[in-house]
Amino acid sequence: MAQLNELVCIDLSIAYVSDKFMICMERKNEKLHVLPSVLAVLGGFFILADGIYALYAAPYIYSSTSFSTYLISGLGTRLAPFSIVLGLMIIGSGLLIYNKNKVWSTMWSSTVLVFSIMSILSGGGFIIGLLLSFVGAILGIFYSSSRL
């Protein structure tokens, strides 16, 4: 019988520990947390989708004669490559959060945190991408510091 303070995982499962749900995977008696990586990658996909949307769809939606919508559509198309690069960087760094070495996991979580904050400039991935990658990065930092 496992105590409440211990995390017991079989393959890929959700375990109840200290009033929090964590997804973990057991590999060679080490518990690697998947949730921060999954959240960061999902956030990166939303930021990437926001950049692609801003590049192709925004000029047609906001095409108008008013000056304010011209500025919005022009700014969206200028920052779209920035958003696409940030989305790809967050996806790559999010995949690297899932690492056995807690120092590397903390470093990649910090990288995702910085990139997700930078994504505010380009729309934040419909805001949900910003939130998912931010929460994933914070969880990655705390999970890697609490890892055995």
Side-chain angles (χ1 to χ4, degrees):
M1 191 75 150
Q3 296 178 353
L4 257 182
N5 297 342
E6 295 178 14
L7 181 61
V8 178
C9 297
I10 300 170
D11 293 333
L12 185 62
S13 62
I14 298 177
Y16 184 77
V17 177
S18 303
D19 299 326
K20 294 181 183 178
F21 284 98
M22 295 186 290
I23 299 176
C24 68
M25 188 170 177
E26 189 172 327
R27 183 190 299 170
K28 297 179 184 175
N29 296 327
E30 288 190 26
K31 297 167 192 74
L32 301 176
H33 299 286
V34 177
L35 183 62
S37 182
V38 169
L39 289 177
V41 169
L42 282 176
F45 276 121
F46 275 105
I47 293 170
L48 180 66
D50 186 23
I52 293 171
Y53 168 77
L55 189 63
Y56 292 109
Y60 298 111
I61 292 173
Y62 295 118
S63 62
S64 174
T65 57
S66 71
F67 185 69
S68 62
T69 55
Y70 173 75
L71 284 177
I72 290 172
S73 66
L75 185 63
T77 55
R78 282 189 212 112
L79 291 177
F82 179 68
S83 180
I84 291 171
V85 169
L86 280 177
L88 291 173
M89 295 295 285
I90 289 174
I91 291 169
S93 300
L95 290 173
L96 292 171
I97 289 174
Y98 184 69
N99 196 338
K100 284 194 282 188
N101 188 348
K102 66 181 180 179
V103 174
W104 285 99
S105 181
T106 304
M107 185 196 74
W108 290 114
S109 297
S110 302
T111 305
V112 168
L113 184 65
V114 168
F115 288 149
S116 67
I117 291 172
M118 287 173 60
S119 75
I120 294 172
L121 299 173
S122 63
F126 306 112
I127 306 300
I128 189 75
L130 167 69
L131 293 175
L132 285 173
S133 59
F134 186 80
V135 169
I138 295 296
L139 288 176
I141 291 170
F142 285 118
Y143 281 0
S144 62
S145 66
S146 67
R147 197 178 295 161
L148 296 176

